[in-house]
């Protein structure tokens, strides 16, 4: 089972590396709570087609080491960079989902872009959902903090009760089975309580808007019109407007979990964008 050590504090981090070494490289950065298994409908078919698909289990997630420290955004972004350095990857398409988009943005703006040719931000919480001086329509930070406290009290209930909305199962379009939803809820429990709550605690003050103008590689923003976890107007649409030259693809009636419900469409976007 492949592991490497974080360059910041020697945390043991698990990664997967599928497909031919010589193929076009896509590096997948996971959502909060989830491991690389969330990308099965992307990594397996794309690797079979000749893409090199690499994924990282964030510290405290999946099969990576359970630690107390290192959940500040710079360290998380540097963990992503350490994986790219470890495998000596170049011309990378860096694809993040949900909180993973935050790590992608910060990695690019920390100066790590020499290995990255392009980025895909899927159902992102970037640039941040909270109200700020330059985002007056955002969510009240105190409401986010109250949600975080509820989450601490019963993570299992949050994952279970939020699953249908996560996949927008109440709307017409492609869906997922009850068994798959239960599987994803179980995967969310694979993140430690420390890791899960630490990421949530970053959200009330998260504001990447000032640094997004620094991104100088092509960026594709993919977002569902019915995303309840990261509403389109608060996140995806703002991201596309803030990053110079970014392209926005909106999937109608798709929720936060479009990587599963709209896997075929997302895969086609990844294929096309990676080959540009």
């Amino acid at each position: 089972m492949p592991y490497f050590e974080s360059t910041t504090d020697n945390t043991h981090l698990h990664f997967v590396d599928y497909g031919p070494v010589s193929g076009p490289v896509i590096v997948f950065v996971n959502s909060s709570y989830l491991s690389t298994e969330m990308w099965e409908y992307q990594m397996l078919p794309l690797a079979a087609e000749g893409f090199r698909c690499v994924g990282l289990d964030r510290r405290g997630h999946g099969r990576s080491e359970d630690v107390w420290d290192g959940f500040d955004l710079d360290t998380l972004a540097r963990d992503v960079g350490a994986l790219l350095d470890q495998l000596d990857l170049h011309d990378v398409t860096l694809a993040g989902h949900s909180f993973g988009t935050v790590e992608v943005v910060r990695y690019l703006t920390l100066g790590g872009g020499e290995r990255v040719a392009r980025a895909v931000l899927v159902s992102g919480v970037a640039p941040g959902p909270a109200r700020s001086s330059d985002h007056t329509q955002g969510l009240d930070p105190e409401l986010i903090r109250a949600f975080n406290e509820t989450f601490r009290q019963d993570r299992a209930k949050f994952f279970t009760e939020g699953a249908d909305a996560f996949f927008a199962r109440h709307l017409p379009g492609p869906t997922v089975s009850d068994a798959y939803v239960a599987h994803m809820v179980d995967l969310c429990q694979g993140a430690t309580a420390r890791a899960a709550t630490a990421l949530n605690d970053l959200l009330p003050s998260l504001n990447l808007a000032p640094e997004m103008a620094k991104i100088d590689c092509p960026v594709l923003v993919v977002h569902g019109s019915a995303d309840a976890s990261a509403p389109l107007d608060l996140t995806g649409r703002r991201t596309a407007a803030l990053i110079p030259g970014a392209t926005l693809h909106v999937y109608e009636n798709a929720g936060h979990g479009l990587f599963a419900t709209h896997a075929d469409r997302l895969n086609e976007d990844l294929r096309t964008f990676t080959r540009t």
Side-chain angles (χ1 to χ4, degrees):
M1 189 177 296
Y3 285 87
F4 72 103
E5 289 189 352
S6 166
T7 54
T8 54
D9 59 5
N10 299 320
T11 297
H12 284 75
L13 301 174
H14 173 260
F15 70 96
V16 294
D17 189 354
Y18 293 163
V21 173
S22 59
V25 181
I26 307 176
V27 175
F28 293 90
V29 186
N30 309 333
S31 171
S32 300
Y33 322 131
L34 290 169
S35 66
T36 53
E37 293 178 61
M38 68 169 284
W39 297 108
E40 66 173 296
Y41 298 131
Q42 284 71 50
M43 297 186 76
L44 294 182
L46 291 173
E49 294 172 20
F51 291 86
R52 184 178 183 181
C53 296
V54 177
L56 169 70
D57 280 353
R58 181 187 295 109
R59 55 180 62 218
H61 288 64
R63 286 168 282 187
S64 286
E65 187 176 1
D66 180 14
V67 293
W68 180 256
D69 292 318
F71 293 101
D72 61 283
L73 188 50
D74 283 0
T75 299
L76 294 171
R78 289 191 173 102
D79 286 348
V80 175
L83 174 62
L84 273 58
D85 293 342
Q86 172 74 19
L87 298 179
D88 194 24
L89 301 177
H90 298 275
D91 195 30
V92 170
T93 299
L94 194 55
H97 177 267
S98 191
F99 192 88
T101 66
V102 174
E103 290 155 304
V104 169
V105 169
R106 179 54 59 86
Y107 174 70
L108 293 175
T109 59
L110 278 175
E114 67 276 359
R115 293 187 180 273
V116 177
R118 61 198 70 80
V120 184
L121 307 179
V122 182
S123 306
V125 298
R131 184 184 305 154
S132 62
S133 59
D134 57 359
H135 183 36
T136 58
Q137 302 304 310
L139 302 176
D140 183 345
E142 290 306 315
L143 289 179
I144 299 176
R145 292 186 180 96
F147 156 78
N148 289 349
E149 187 55 37
T150 299
F151 178 84
R152 281 187 182 87
Q153 292 171 7
D154 197 337
R155 291 183 298 131
K157 180 179 179 181
F158 167 79
F159 294 138
T160 300
E161 293 185 350
D164 284 347
F166 185 90
F167 293 108
R169 299 180 81 195
H170 59 294
L171 295 176
T175 189
V176 288
S177 69
D178 291 343
Y180 178 80
V181 172
H183 170 60
M184 294 301 289
V185 169
D186 287 343
L187 283 182
C188 287
Q189 296 281 19
T192 67
R194 166 59 179 164
T197 56
L199 296 190
N200 286 347
D201 286 343
L202 295 174
L203 295 176
S205 60
L206 180 66
N207 183 9
L208 301 180
E211 63 195 77
M212 284 184 152
K214 300 176 184 178
I215 297 176
D216 59 2
C217 67
V219 174
L220 173 63
V221 180
V222 174
H223 219 95
S225 66
D227 192 326
S229 302
L232 173 62
D233 288 340
L234 298 184
T235 54
R237 203 177 296 281
R238 288 184 66 223
T239 290
L242 287 165
I243 297 176
T247 299
L248 173 64
H249 288 185
V250 176
Y251 294 6
E252 289 301 320
N253 291 331
H256 204 55
L258 60 81
F259 57 86
T261 57
H262 293 68
D264 291 343
R265 183 173 177 185
L266 177 58
N267 291 351
E268 184 55 35
D269 276 340
L270 288 168
R271 288 187 198 97
T272 301
F273 189 64
T274 297
R275 288 172 173 153
T276 57

